[in-house]
Amino acid sequence: MSFYVTVTDLQGKEITVKVSIEIFELFEEERKEIARLRKEKERHSSDEDVESDFAGYLHSLHTASLEERAMQRQELKSAVDAIKSCTSVQQRRFYFNRILGYTFTEIAAKEHCSERAVKFSVDAVIKKLDDLKNSL
């Protein structure tokens, strides 16, 4: 089954990208959170507490600006591209370890390999992500 997300590039053009289910779920969570915040803002837009300076400041802490969201999406797309550039074995082991929380021992038992091989695979993906982070 294929999963797609639509993102907006820095020029405002919408781009549809094929992603893994994990990335799709991240985008879905973000979409739901944005919808929740929008509804909360609509409910409280006329409330005097929200209109006060202090409450308005606290409320603004929970909403990211358009530029921040665009940068976060671009960074996420770059991270997805970095992960996609790894081998399928590295991607799978990274997913089991960092997303699902399996230990190296559990993954090694599941894949009939050594813990060292699992650690090497996970570290390779992490190194690519670190290199990406340092280049931003």
Side-chain angles (χ1 to χ4, degrees):
M1 176 177 264
S2 298
F3 295 93
Y4 297 90
V5 295
T6 302
V7 294
T8 305
D9 66 10
L10 296 177
Q11 288 79 31
K13 182 180 174 187
E14 288 189 346
I15 302 169
T16 301
V17 182
K18 184 178 179 180
V19 295
S20 66
I21 188 168
E22 296 83 21
I23 301 302
F24 178 79
E25 288 171 349
L26 286 173
F27 273 91
E28 270 302 295
E29 288 175 19
E30 178 190 19
R31 183 192 61 75
K32 288 177 183 177
E33 179 65 15
I34 290 169
R36 185 190 69 74
L37 290 172
R38 187 180 65 246
K39 287 179 183 177
E40 180 180 313
K41 187 175 180 178
E42 289 172 1
R43 281 194 306 267
H44 298 290
S45 63
S46 63
D47 193 285
E48 291 179 10
D49 291 336
V50 175
E51 291 176 357
S52 74
D53 290 342
F54 183 70
Y57 170 73
L58 291 176
H59 184 70
S60 71
L61 292 177
H62 298 293
T63 57
S65 70
L66 183 61
E67 294 83 15
E68 290 172 329
R69 289 191 310 227
M71 288 300 297
Q72 289 169 347
R73 286 184 177 149
Q74 182 59 38
E75 289 171 1
L76 182 60
K77 183 185 179 314
S78 298
V80 169
D81 290 343
I83 292 171
K84 283 183 177 180
S85 71
C86 297
T87 68
S88 61
V89 171
Q90 291 171 335
Q91 290 177 32
R92 183 179 62 247
R93 291 175 180 172
F94 178 81
Y95 172 74
F96 282 144
N97 180 251
R98 295 302 171 123
I99 307 298
L100 298 180
Y102 286 91
T103 65
F104 294 149
T105 305
E106 292 169 328
I107 299 167
K110 179 180 263 194
E111 296 195 351
H112 308 292
C113 64
S114 68
E115 290 178 43
R116 186 169 186 253
V118 174
K119 183 179 180 340
F120 183 77
S121 295
V122 173
D123 287 347
V125 178
I126 292 171
K127 182 177 181 340
K128 283 195 177 193
L129 292 174
D130 284 343
D131 290 345
L132 172 67
K133 181 177 150 187
N134 293 332
S135 71
L136 295 177

